Amino acid sequence: MSELICERRETTGKQAAKQLRRKGMVPGIYYCGREEPTPIAIEEKALRAALQSEANIIDVKLDGKAVKCIVREVQFDPLRDVPMHVDLMGVRMDQKVSLMVPVRLVGIPEGVKTSGGILQQVLREVEVEALPGDLPEHIDVDVSKLAIGESLHVRDLVLERAHILTDPSLSVATVTAPTVVREAAEAAAPEVAEAEEQEAAPEGEQEQQ
């Protein structure tokens, strides 16, 4: 993708941020090492395009200077799904950085195909440390051999030029027996039935209860 153009913000604060958002801009911060953080603004459409590309390293242009960055954090409006603020971290290609990387499950588990089991993804991202150029965009995990009751853990993930910092004992995915879901549904059935009876009863009867 092309460079992400950042403008230096001369004013900060809530009111200034609101004015930027009305203009289709997203306020943010750029920081790199011990340099003084720089308030920035980015066109919302350009930021969305950069996020959709799933690239770990983004080419950014700030004050006419080209820099390599990682999107450290994006805050979204929970109701409108609009980016409200972004943190960009400048990186050097010869220095390691850590980043949360998505985990993608690949394949259909044996326990699902042959025994009607249910695949559950427990962990959707892990923290990875590597040189910027070696950071994976995502980690694909083959779950096709999992039988019912079996799990894949962080320690089972393999990366050639990166180190996983997340606790290796944590489960990434597991295949559960269908009876577990059935038992939970049966346990909830009496409560659901009782609630439906109360809703169907006349108001006078509900008051007597």
Side-chain angles (χ1 to χ4, degrees):
M1 61 171 292
S2 58
E3 288 182 321
L4 186 63
I5 307 299
C6 296
E7 299 177 6
R8 182 185 291 267
R9 283 191 288 152
E10 300 301 333
T11 57
T12 58
K14 292 184 178 180
Q15 292 302 320
K18 287 181 179 179
Q19 291 179 2
L20 280 173
R21 296 186 188 108
R22 292 192 192 103
K23 298 177 182 178
M25 305 290 288
V26 181
I29 291 289
Y30 165 81
Y31 57 93
C32 183
R34 297 182 179 180
E35 297 178 11
E36 189 72 20
T38 303
I40 58 173
I42 306 172
E43 185 183 33
E44 181 184 335
K45 291 182 179 180
L47 177 60
R48 285 185 179 275
L51 297 176
Q52 291 173 358
S53 72
E54 297 186 350
N56 287 324
I57 307 300
I58 299 176
D59 293 320
V60 173
K61 195 166 188 178
L62 176 62
D63 292 339
K65 179 182 177 182
V67 293
K68 301 285 187 180
C69 288
I70 287 176
V71 179
R72 265 302 184 189
E73 182 181 10
V74 181
Q75 298 174 15
F76 284 89
D77 183 308
L79 298 178
R80 298 181 298 154
D81 193 34
V82 174
M84 303 294 287
H85 191 275
V86 60
D87 287 359
L88 296 183
M89 186 183 77
V91 297
R92 291 181 53 179
M93 300 306 288
D94 60 349
Q95 292 184 352
K96 290 184 178 182
V97 294
S98 62
L99 186 70
M100 299 302 294
V101 175
V103 176
R104 302 195 313 188
L105 305 185
V106 179
I108 301 176
E110 189 66 24
V112 172
K113 291 190 294 185
T114 62
S115 306
I118 298 172
L119 174 64
Q120 296 182 336
Q121 184 166 0
V122 183
L123 203 61
R124 296 191 177 277
E125 58 182 12
V126 294
E127 186 175 10
V128 174
E129 182 183 55
L131 293 173
D134 293 333
L135 286 169
E137 294 182 1
H138 50 76
I139 301 174
D140 289 339
V141 183
D142 184 3
V143 296
S144 59
K145 295 182 180 180
L146 288 182
I148 286 181
E150 293 184 338
S151 301
L152 278 175
H153 299 83
V154 173
R155 60 175 172 266
D156 299 316
L157 306 182
V158 179
L159 296 177
E160 293 183 1
R161 296 185 297 275
H163 176 62
I164 298 176
L165 302 178
T166 301
D167 184 346
S169 66
L170 293 179
S171 295
V172 174
T174 185
V175 177
T176 58
T179 53
V180 175
V181 177
R182 188 180 305 121
E183 289 171 359
E186 291 174 354
E191 297 179 3
V192 174
E194 183 179 348
E196 291 177 347
E197 289 177 1
Q198 291 181 354
E199 290 180 0
E203 292 184 2
E205 295 182 10
Q206 291 184 13
E207 290 178 358
Q208 293 177 3
Q209 295 177 4

